[in-house]
Amino acid sequence: MQKRDLLLIAVLLLVCGIAAAFLYPRGDAGPRRAVITQDGKVLYDIPLTGHKGIDEIRIEDERGENTIRIEDETVAVVDADCPDLVCVKTGKAAKKGDVIACLPHKLLIEVK
């Protein structure tokens, strides 16, 4: 290998490192919280970071009912009376950017 080859490899590695830093930011650092909204109105803003144990929230209105479980540092819809149950099938959300939606009940859970 010549000096130019080594220099080219070093430059390529540096460019790849810089690109990786921008493409994969550490967006999940810091405290996380579950924001539960219905019809665009915030119902609950629950800290997830450091949460221990199990808490359940029941949300009921004229469209139907959802049961939300906060278990340790995760949130999930564990029961709903909507026809498709997509919100229940979504499973647990824990990372920033995770979303659980129940469209028939206009319910949205976002991890921020």
Side-chain angles (χ1 to χ4, degrees), residues 5 10-11 16 25 28 33 42-43 49 51 59 64 68 75 79 83-84 87 89 95 100 106:
D5 294 335
V11 169
C16 288
D28 201 32
R33 63 190 204 283
V42 176
L43 301 178
T49 304
H51 184 276
I59 299 174
I68 299 167
V75 61
D79 190 36
D84 57 8
C87 54
K89 294 173 187 173
K95 298 182 296 187
I100 301 172
K106 298 185 180 182

Side-chain angles (χ1 to χ4, degrees), residues 44-58:
Y44 299 94
D45 191 339
I46 302 161
L48 291 178
T49 304
H51 184 276
K52 300 287 183 209
I54 298 173
D55 294 315
E56 287 194 351
I57 300 169
R58 193 168 144 224

